[in-house]
Amino acid sequence: QMSSTKYYFKNSNPVIIEELLPLLSEQQSSALLMLAMNGNTTSAQMENTIQAILENIDWNTQGEQIGKLVNRILPLEQLVPDVYADWRSIVQEAVIFIGSHLSNKRLIPKLIEQITIPEDLTLEQRLIAFISQMPSLQKLGQVIARNRNLDPDFRTELIRLENSISDVSPEQIHAEIKHQLGPMLERYQVEVDEIIHAEASVSAVMRFTWNNSATNNREQGVLKVLKPYIHDYFDEEMTLLQGLADYLDENCTENALSEVNLRKLFDDIRLLLEQELDSINEQANLEAAWLRYSHVSGVRVPRLIKELSTSSITAMTYEQGQKVTDTISMSTAERNTLTSHIIEAFIAIPLFASQEKSVFHADPHAGNLYVDEQSRDLIIFDWALTEQLNREQRRQIILLVTSVMLRDEQLIYQAIAELSQDNFLENETKAGSVRSLITLFINDISIFTMPGVKHVLTLLDDILLSGIVFSAPLLIFRKVLLTLDGVLNDIESTVPMEIILAQYLIKEGTIMSCGIYLLNPYSTNFKMPLSSLDILSLIRSAQWFGFRAGLQRVLTS
């Protein structure tokens, strides 16, 4: 019967209607078919009828069938490339679980949308539509997309989440602005643009102009506004992800899951979203970042506009630019200069800061990094996510990177021991395992290769998989390095990260030793975390570098 009536499904997707019918009673099916075959049925009538039918489904007994329906509508396993074929069944199970556990209030509108949107939309487009107003799934896709080891085509689809989110209307954001700012709008003669300037998983950005009483000028700015539905949906989605982790642990035994800590991944998503929802904390971070980078050449941070900021709105100066990964017109030299700015801002300055605790930007994906097309300055957005490293942690990180470059297994072992949270030195089995991993790691590096930051990341991954525990700040800093590695690869930079760090160290060390900073106390915030004994130890190690490298070549030949 369905095949003979598909022609009449003028306002809906007949394939999805066909999938829906088995869930309905005979009376509901007949009513839906009669309406669908009526050539005069409007989209609104079809949507209202489908909504009424869905609301009357017994969700308690048919939850699993609803989940399978969602999977038939969105067979996301088809997007998983062959190289990750082991994940297809896991992705399928995840879609079914989400479809069967999402609340009726949120799932019914999504099903109606999937039924009524054009039949010829691609699966990728249907996915973007389905995860509308689902910040946890949007953020999950963004986090996964930052791994440049993914299949390029698969990663391209995930990266679209940085720019394709559009699930709130300008009218809703305008209403929120008026509710939050009220009389401030008139006091500062604020004029907000009609359209949304940019949109992320939890917020929307609107451009505006205002009268700055401090400068007596009319200035441009942006309002970063939390979406009004975010707080209502956050708890449900966190519960959903926790339940999904439990379900997959109990029901999926594929090898693919053995290498991924899904619970940790979902905890990371929770942390990211919690921090992004804390506008007051973001405003404090933004102020501190502006002070830190306002005197750094080639780097800019928007300035907080306190007069127009609230608990859910962050007002800041408008900065014109384009994503660093879209800089097609830049020459090789300009790309390398941009790379230097990125490494200095995100790694060198935090590592060599003079403070006991140094703050670093914890979310440096390409969507937060822009470049001014005129000045070529790096512009750093979104300071909601930050973390701190104390001086001792930074000391050990520098010792670890340097000892890897020197291929010094003993110094590497000591740095790992200091950075770990479990005292494996007292556990002979763990200690032996770490030593073996370090030896294998060094032997796998060609004698003609200069090890660097990428090799350190590989070593840390190996040690993490062996069960050694590191502090949360260190793990987040590791993710920062991994994310920046992907960004730099997309920029097509030709300058190694280690060279930029060495240049920064020489430049700032010279300024400090010559006393140049006394002419402008704000020109540097530099302090070497290493002690004299550390430097002496590295010098001694460097003297034996040739012997170690030669011995390695003999042992591995």
Side-chain angles (χ1 to χ4, degrees), residues 226-351:
L226 287 182
K227 296 177 181 179
Y229 62 80
I230 288 297
H231 287 290
D232 293 336
Y233 294 166
F234 179 77
D235 288 340
E236 179 188 1
E237 293 190 25
M238 293 305 99
T239 302
L240 189 66
L241 289 183
Q242 183 68 39
L244 176 59
D246 293 338
Y247 174 80
L248 293 178
D249 281 347
E250 294 173 4
N251 296 279
C252 296
T253 58
E254 282 81 357
N255 292 332
L257 274 180
S258 64
E259 299 180 2
V260 177
N261 188 338
L262 280 180
R263 199 172 303 280
K264 178 65 169 60
L265 176 61
F266 294 159
D267 285 344
D268 289 346
I269 298 299
R270 172 188 282 275
L271 176 63
L272 289 172
L273 289 174
E274 284 178 342
Q275 289 184 286
E276 289 194 33
L277 293 178
D278 190 349
S279 296
I280 299 300
N281 182 63
E282 178 179 8
Q283 292 161 22
N285 292 340
L286 183 60
E287 280 194 287
W290 186 83
L291 287 172
R292 168 180 270 191
Y293 292 98
S294 59
H295 301 282
V296 177
S297 177
V299 179
R300 297 209 310 263
V301 173
R303 178 176 54 82
L304 180 70
I305 302 175
K306 293 183 180 180
E307 297 89 335
L308 299 172
S309 295
T310 72
S311 60
S312 60
I313 295 179
T314 299
M316 66 194 89
T317 54
Y318 172 69
E319 301 288 346
Q320 177 68 46
Q322 62 178 343
K323 283 176 63 174
V324 293
T325 50
D326 294 337
T327 52
I328 300 174
S329 61
M330 293 179 68
S331 65
T332 300
E334 289 174 328
R335 292 173 191 271
N336 290 340
T337 299
L338 176 61
T339 299
S340 296
H341 292 329
I342 293 173
I343 298 305
E344 285 191 13
F346 286 94
I347 303 178
I349 290 176
L351 274 182

Side-chain angles (χ1 to χ4, degrees), residues 146 148 155 324-325 327 332 334-347 364-366 369 378 453-454 457 480-501:
R146 295 172 199 174
R148 75 181 183 97
R155 186 173 180 235
V324 293
T325 50
T327 52
T332 300
E334 289 174 328
R335 292 173 191 271
N336 290 340
T337 299
L338 176 61
T339 299
S340 296
H341 292 329
I342 293 173
I343 298 305
E344 285 191 13
F346 286 94
I347 303 178
H365 64 84
L369 307 182
L378 170 69
V453 174
K454 293 181 182 179
L457 291 175
V480 168
L481 293 174
L482 183 63
T483 302
L484 286 177
D485 180 50
V487 171
L488 298 182
N489 181 72
D490 292 339
I491 294 176
E492 298 180 357
S493 168
T494 60
V495 182
M497 196 179 297
E498 301 77 25
I499 298 298
I500 297 171
L501 290 173

Side-chain angles (χ1 to χ4, degrees), residues 386-494:
T386 63
E387 190 51 85
Q388 295 182 343
L389 288 171
N390 62 40
R391 184 174 287 116
E392 178 59 24
Q393 289 170 321
R394 289 180 278 132
R395 169 178 171 252
Q396 295 299 337
I397 289 172
I398 294 169
L399 287 173
L400 175 60
V401 173
T402 309
S403 58
V404 167
M405 295 177 70
L406 292 172
R407 300 171 184 261
D408 191 321
E409 294 184 28
Q410 181 57 32
L411 287 183
I412 294 173
Y413 179 78
Q414 292 173 0
I416 293 293
E418 292 295 330
L419 288 169
S420 69
Q421 284 196 310
D422 51 351
N423 189 5
F424 64 79
L425 294 178
E426 297 179 0
N427 185 316
E428 187 175 340
T429 301
K430 280 191 174 182
S433 174
V434 171
R435 284 194 179 277
S436 297
L437 286 171
I438 293 172
T439 299
L440 289 173
F441 163 76
I442 292 296
N443 290 340
D444 283 343
I445 302 174
S446 168
I447 193 66
F448 302 106
T449 298
M450 173 60 74
V453 174
K454 293 181 182 179
H455 294 86
V456 173
L457 291 175
T458 300
L459 175 61
L460 286 176
D461 287 344
D462 292 342
I463 292 176
L464 279 168
L465 288 174
S466 74
I468 301 300
V469 179
F470 295 101
S471 67
L474 178 63
L475 293 177
I476 292 175
F477 189 69
R478 164 187 163 273
K479 289 184 179 180
V480 168
L481 293 174
L482 183 63
T483 302
L484 286 177
D485 180 50
V487 171
L488 298 182
N489 181 72
D490 292 339
I491 294 176
E492 298 180 357
S493 168
T494 60

Side-chain angles (χ1 to χ4, degrees), residues 169-240:
S169 69
E171 291 75 21
Q172 290 173 302
I173 299 301
H174 275 284
E176 191 69 16
I177 292 171
K178 290 179 181 178
H179 174 70
Q180 290 286 328
L181 295 178
M184 295 294 102
L185 297 175
E186 183 176 350
R187 177 179 177 181
Y188 293 102
Q189 298 181 36
V190 176
E191 294 182 4
V192 184
D193 280 5
E194 293 297 322
I195 61 174
I196 293 175
H197 176 63
E199 192 171 339
S201 53
V202 303
S203 60
V205 176
M206 305 288 287
R207 289 185 60 179
F208 73 97
T209 57
W210 70 301
N211 283 345
N212 186 342
S213 57
T215 63
N216 292 319
N217 291 325
R218 186 123 188 114
E219 299 178 359
Q220 296 186 71
V222 295
L223 298 170
K224 183 179 178 182
V225 185
L226 287 182
K227 296 177 181 179
Y229 62 80
I230 288 297
H231 287 290
D232 293 336
Y233 294 166
F234 179 77
D235 288 340
E236 179 188 1
E237 293 190 25
M238 293 305 99
T239 302
L240 189 66

